[in-house]
Amino acid sequence: ACYSSSLQFTVFIECKDYLWFSYGHLSPLFCYCFSVAAFPGGQIVGNKVFITSGYEGNFDDLKQRCLQAGGQLASPRNAAENTAIQQIVVLYKKSVFLGITDIQSEGKFKYLNGEAIVYSNWQQGEPNDEKGRENCVEVYGNGKWNDRSCGEKKLILCEF
Ligand code: 291
Ligand code: CA
């Protein structure tokens, strides 16, 4: 059986094999589930899981590592998801980079798939593109966003 609690996220993968009953219907034989322990390095909100490994690196490095793990950089689409991200930032006392940049077009922040952002939580006065060099987005401990140089090193936070 698949279940989930606040500390554990259970993912239903697939039914691998089927039993073909003579009276004509298909029944799954083996179904796989796995659980992700989401505490303390993770947060579950809706059907999204945010997880950090504690690793720190620049934007390209973090982006690549999330992809390699089968996820992507944290990309909050509402206040609840942003609060989950904030809790990780507070716990680790380190800011994270989001999967949001304005690399393509200055001032137009987009998700990594090119979609314009549907939610933002900028700190007052941000984004300011300080010295014309800030195309990535970091999250402060207060949950607010600051545009920041993509070359800075931040805590990795992936979503799955
Ligand atoms: C200031 C603001 C931010 C800016 C940041 C970076 C700091 O915040 O102007 O908009 O993104 O500086 O320029 O970069 C370095 N290297 O320190 C400072 C912190 C609250
Ligand atoms: Ca800034």
Side-chain angles (χ1 to χ4, degrees):
C2 292
Y3 72 97
S4 66
S5 76
S6 60
L7 298 184
Q8 227 171 248
F9 188 76
T10 305
V11 184
F12 180 79
I13 298 300
E14 62 177 332
C15 297
K16 268 275 185 208
D17 240 315
Y18 297 88
L19 194 59
W20 182 251
F21 286 109
S22 55
Y23 45 87
H25 85 254
L26 218 49
S27 171
L29 254 189
F30 302 109
C31 297
Y32 294 94
C33 301
F34 73 89
S35 295
V36 179
F39 182 82
Q43 284 285 327
I44 296 161
V45 41
N47 58 2
K48 212 180 249 192
V49 190
F50 296 104
I51 297 179
T52 180
S53 65
Y55 180 82
E56 293 170 78
N58 66 30
F59 175 79
D60 284 336
D61 185 3
L62 302 184
K63 182 174 109 175
Q64 211 43 50
R65 283 170 189 267
C66 285
L67 282 180
Q68 206 152 28
Q72 63 168 357
L73 276 173
S75 307
R77 299 182 68 94
N78 55 54
E81 292 183 0
N82 199 72
T83 299
I85 292 168
Q86 179 187 359
Q87 282 166 16
I88 300 274
V89 171
V90 169
L91 186 65
Y92 282 74
K93 299 185 176 73
K94 283 169 185 163
S95 61
V96 297
F97 271 141
L98 298 179
I100 292 173
T101 76
D102 71 341
I103 290 169
Q104 244 182 30
S105 176
E106 178 52 41
K108 290 183 185 156
F109 286 86
K110 296 175 179 175
Y111 300 111
L112 300 177
N113 68 4
E115 179 192 358
I117 55 174
V118 297
Y119 164 87
S120 65
N121 194 35
W122 297 111
Q123 174 94 338
Q124 198 172 17
E126 306 295 347
N128 65 351
D129 196 31
E130 181 84 21
K131 296 179 183 155
R133 287 183 202 153
E134 298 189 320
N135 297 328
C136 283
V137 181
E138 69 173 333
V139 179
Y140 290 142
N142 64 2
K144 294 289 178 184
W145 300 5
N146 172 41
D147 61 338
R148 195 73 191 262
S149 164
C150 300
E152 296 284 326
K153 287 194 173 174
K154 299 290 165 192
L155 176 68
I156 193 168
L157 184 63
C158 308
E159 67 174 38
F160 298 90

